[in-house]
């Protein structure tokens, strides 16, 4: 069996791995690290949860340490592109963890937060820069960043980048990179157009692939219940009452659907946070922190917002609404059953969602176990508590726990930076898929200005 010592990684990296208690490399690490150590390009077909971040960052950090030199002003030695702010922040955190016994600097830049601090952070240059594409290009346009000294380029979650409409941004980035560099390309799925994009970036790559989608789906206990759309709230209450839930991620197709679920839960005195593209950066961070730490057991999310989020101990994924793209379903249920743990995915299927289930079964080559509506369900529907009234932009601050925690984070971070709205193409892009029924009509309110803090780590 391969161990981390077999890779010949720099001693400071091995120390960090020991500190993190990693003993055995994951399959993607076993496959990816040796060719990357030799400087090869890599095409990785793997999704979050497989250990791919360590798979690409360990050999890259090794390279940066083996050929030490200061980054050029406004430049970076390693550039990682990720589709969402959350994933970018998570990758940066991993790089900081793996590089904690080194002097390497790690910065993240993404939209939705003021750009000036990011400009200052980059002025001296950084070793590792993790960015979302839109803000990266903004910084380049403002001459705060140049890419001509990039030695290692990583494109993460390429399929998600395409879905979010980042293709033109990526092509622009590709033109700005120096021709001599190492390229790493990751995607959970590899349909033709993604393979085409990979070709543009990669030079004679080694291809590695782990956990094909069917395998991921097989690890999760999947259940489906057929229920009318308007009765899903009652079913959710029942599931939350009867299932032994450590942490549950509840998925809706739209941002407004997510807010609605949260309001219904609140109406019944159940605390839950929502995470989606209409939330400010501070709200998203607060919600994730509360969910990670176990303060809040329920997180209601849209697909885009939840992509790449790595939270261990998610016992249940509840598909309050069924995605119309089977791959999204695979991504969703992949949030549970991490690292061999038992996971349960429960899908609430309305009559008009039945065709989606057939597509999902075809793609995952699995069949979910049907679960009947509970006895006395009509009674439950009748007795369902009323949803909480939505908080207005100005009122209700003190009563909404997500808002309260956000206020606390803001105070801690030193007041309210004048948030700028992140470009639509970033983070929020791709959300708000067509709303299917009038019942999802957007409601105003609840979300303040976009605020947040730039992360500079390392
Ligand atoms: P990733 O797919 O990179 O998001 O990693 C998923 C999770 O697995 C993260 O929480 C990592 O800290 C963890 N992880 C990565 N590699 C290992 C390993 N070799 N042993 C134990 N945990 C790991």
């Amino acid at each position: 069996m391969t161990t981390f010592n077999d890779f010949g990684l720099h001693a400071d990296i091995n120390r960090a791995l020991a500190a993190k208690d990693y003993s055995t490399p994951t399959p993607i690490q076993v496959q990816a690290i040796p060719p990357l150590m030799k400087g090869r390009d890599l095409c990785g077909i793997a999704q979050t949860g497989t250990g791919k971040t360590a798979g690409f960052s360990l050999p890259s950090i090794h390279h940066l340490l083996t050929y030490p030199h200061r980054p050029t002003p406004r430049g970076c030695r390693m550039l990682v592109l990720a589709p969402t702010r959350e994933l970018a922040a998570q990758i940066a955190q991993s790089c900081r963890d793996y590089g904690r016994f080194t002097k390497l600097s790690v910065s993240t830049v993404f939209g939705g937060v003021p750009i000036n601090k990011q400009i200052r952070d980059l002025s001296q240059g950084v070793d590792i820069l993790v960015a979302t594409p839109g803000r990266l290009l903004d910084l380049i346009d403002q001459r705060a960043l140049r890419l001509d000294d990039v030695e290692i380029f990583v494109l993460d979650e390429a399929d998600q980048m395409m879905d979010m409409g980042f293709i033109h941004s990526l092509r622009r980035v590709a033109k700005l990179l120096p021709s001599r560099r190492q390229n790493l390309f990751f995607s959970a799925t590899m349909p033709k157009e993604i393979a085409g994009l990979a070709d543009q970036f990669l030079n004679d790559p080694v291809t590695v692939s782990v956990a094909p989608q069917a395998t991921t789906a097989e690890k999760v206990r999947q259940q489906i219940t057929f229920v009318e759309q308007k009765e899903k709230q009652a079913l959710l209450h029942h599931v939350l009452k009867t299932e032994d839930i450590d942490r549950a991620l509840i998925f809706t197709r739209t941002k407004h659907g997510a807010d609605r679920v949260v309001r219904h839960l609140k109406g019944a005195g159940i605390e839950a946070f929502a995470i989606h593209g209409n939330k400010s950066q501070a709200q998203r961070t607060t919600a994730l922190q509360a969910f990670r730490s176990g303060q809040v057991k329920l997180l209601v999310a849209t697909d885009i917002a939840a992509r790449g989020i790595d939270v261990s101990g998610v016992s249940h994924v509840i598909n309050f609404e069924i995605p119309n793209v089977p791959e999204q379903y695979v991504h969703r249920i992949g949030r549970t059953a991490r690292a061999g743990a038992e996971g349960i995915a429960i899908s609430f299927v309305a009559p008009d969602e039945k065709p989606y289930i057939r597509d999902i079964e075809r793609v995952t080559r699995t069949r979910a176990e049907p679960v009947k509506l509970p006895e006395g369900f009509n009674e439950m529907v009748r007795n369902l508590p009323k949803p909480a009234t939505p908080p207005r932009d100005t009122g209700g601050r003190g009563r909404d726990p997500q808002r309260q925690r956000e206020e606390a984070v803001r105070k801690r971070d030193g007041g309210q930076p004048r948030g700028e709205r992140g470009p639509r193409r970033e983070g929020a892009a791709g959300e708000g898929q067509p709303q299917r029924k009038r019942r999802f009509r957007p409601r105003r309110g609840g979300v303040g200005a976009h605020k947040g803090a730039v992360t500079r780590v390392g």
Side-chain angles (χ1 to χ4, degrees), residues 372-385:
K372 288 208 176 84
L373 286 170
E375 250 175 63
F377 184 62
N378 289 342
E379 188 85 352
M380 291 178 202
V381 172
R382 274 198 299 278
N383 295 336
L384 187 70

Side-chain angles (χ1 to χ4, degrees), residues 195-207:
L197 181 70
D199 273 352
Q200 289 178 20
F201 281 97
L202 299 169
N203 182 14
D204 186 24
V206 174
T207 299

Side-chain angles (χ1 to χ4, degrees), residues 48-245:
T48 307
T50 52
K52 70 177 159 136
T53 314
F56 69 73
S57 49
L58 300 178
S60 303
I61 292 172
H62 174 85
H63 167 92
L64 298 178
L65 294 173
T66 310
Y67 305 97
H69 66 82
R70 287 174 69 86
T72 45
R74 293 179 289 126
C76 63
R77 298 188 62 195
M78 173 178 176
L79 172 66
V80 184
L81 284 187
T84 62
R85 309 156 193 189
E86 281 78 15
L87 184 60
Q90 206 165 281
I91 293 170
Q93 184 55 43
S94 296
C95 291
R96 185 178 66 169
D97 287 350
Y98 303 136
R100 63 187 277 198
F101 297 110
T102 74
K103 289 201 168 66
L104 295 176
S105 55
V106 185
S107 279
T108 41
V109 294
F110 42 68
V113 295
I115 201 167
N116 289 342
K117 186 173 180 303
Q118 297 179 346
I119 292 175
R120 281 199 301 279
D121 281 347
L122 294 174
S123 62
Q124 301 299 311
V126 289
D127 291 300
I128 302 172
L129 178 65
V130 190
T132 52
R135 180 53 64 95
L136 181 93
L137 289 171
D138 287 346
L139 285 158
I140 290 169
D141 290 340
Q142 296 202 24
R143 302 197 183 285
L145 176 67
R146 33 189 281 209
L147 301 184
D148 37 11
D149 289 320
V150 171
E151 294 159 55
I152 303 166
F153 172 67
V154 183
L155 183 61
D156 202 9
E157 306 234 343
D159 49 356
Q160 195 65 16
M161 295 264 197
M162 294 283 262
D163 283 356
M164 292 172 74
F166 280 134
I167 181 72
H168 298 293
S169 304
L170 295 178
R171 290 218 178 99
R172 248 196 91 193
V173 171
K175 286 198 194 117
L176 296 168
L177 290 165
S179 51
R180 245 179 85 94
R181 56 172 207 258
Q182 187 179 21
N183 300 291
L184 288 68
F185 186 100
F186 289 91
S187 188
T189 54
M190 195 55 73
K192 256 200 207 128
E193 70 272 27
I194 308 284
L197 181 70
D199 273 352
Q200 289 178 20
F201 281 97
L202 299 169
N203 182 14
D204 186 24
V206 174
T207 299
V208 302
S209 170
V210 294
Q213 298 191 345
T215 319
T216 313
E218 277 157 15
K219 279 199 318 205
V220 180
R221 217 175 112 203
Q222 302 172 69
Q223 300 180 336
I224 48 173
T225 299
F226 295 102
V227 59
E228 293 296 327
Q229 179 68 33
K230 62 179 186 302
E231 296 175 350
K232 285 185 175 181
Q233 294 290 352
L235 184 60
L236 180 61
H237 283 253
H238 168 76
V239 166
L240 296 180
K241 252 193 227 148
T242 49
E243 286 284 323
D244 190 9
I245 291 176

Side-chain angles (χ1 to χ4, degrees), residues 4 17 20-26 28-29 47-56 87 90 94 97-98 308 310 312 338-339:
F4 278 108
L17 293 175
K20 278 193 82 84
D21 259 346
Y22 286 6
S23 52
T24 319
T26 65
I28 185 106
Q29 291 161 4
Q47 61 185 92
T48 307
T50 52
K52 70 177 159 136
T53 314
F56 69 73
L87 184 60
Q90 206 165 281
S94 296
D97 287 350
Y98 303 136
D310 176 44
S312 54
R338 283 289 166 82

